[in-house]
Amino acid sequence: MSIVELTKDSFQDAITPDGTLIIDFWAPWCGPCRGFAPVFEQAAEKHTDVTFAKVNTDVEQELAGALGIRSIPTLMVFREKVLLFSQPGALSAGQLEELLGKVKEVDMAQVHRDIAEAQEKAEGDEA
């Protein structure tokens, strides 16, 4: 699967209700970002059931700022519109494989129940 370039305009459409999205926030001048790129590309080829995307933080400063990106590279993983992972720093191929395995194992029905319960509690606390 190819890697898509995300922009502030395409971001919401990329976080699909039924899919997994992993985003690499990077910049052309960033050495660790360039070093991580081949690892990310190999994972994209292997995991065709996951959408792999890149955000150039020099170009998409508004999107990076809205998502709280403070250092690069940073990886974010969304599944069914829920942020499951966010961490600065490049991962090794093994670490990225382990992360993808864990993300695929998450019981999203339980995650959605937990979110709904937390929202209900927060609304009850406000009353």
Side-chain angles (χ1 to χ4, degrees), residues 33-50:
C33 298
R34 289 194 309 270
F36 178 63
V39 172
F40 195 73
E41 290 163 9
Q42 289 172 350
E45 290 175 14
K46 183 175 179 183
H47 296 274
T48 56
D49 57 330
V50 175

Side-chain angles (χ1 to χ4, degrees), residues 28-89:
W29 51 264
C30 167
C33 298
R34 289 194 309 270
F36 178 63
V39 172
F40 195 73
E41 290 163 9
Q42 289 172 350
E45 290 175 14
K46 183 175 179 183
H47 296 274
T48 56
D49 57 330
V50 175
T51 301
F52 286 76
K54 292 178 92 60
V55 173
N56 181 336
T57 57
D58 283 352
V59 175
E60 293 296 327
Q61 293 179 9
E62 187 177 337
L63 177 59
L67 293 170
I69 303 302
R70 301 222 180 336
S71 63
I72 53 173
T74 289
L75 279 182
M76 282 188 166
V77 181
F78 292 86
R79 186 166 161 210
E80 298 178 16
K81 294 191 172 192
V82 177
L83 177 63
L84 296 180
F85 178 85
S86 178
Q87 178 178 303

Side-chain angles (χ1 to χ4, degrees), residues 107-118:
D107 179 353
M108 290 307 294
Q110 183 62 50
V111 169
H112 288 294
R113 282 192 298 273
D114 292 347
I115 291 170
E117 287 175 16

Side-chain angles (χ1 to χ4, degrees), residues 18-34:
D18 60 348
T20 300
L21 172 69
I22 182 168
I23 308 170
D24 174 20
F25 292 86
W26 70 286
W29 51 264
C30 167
C33 298
R34 289 194 309 270

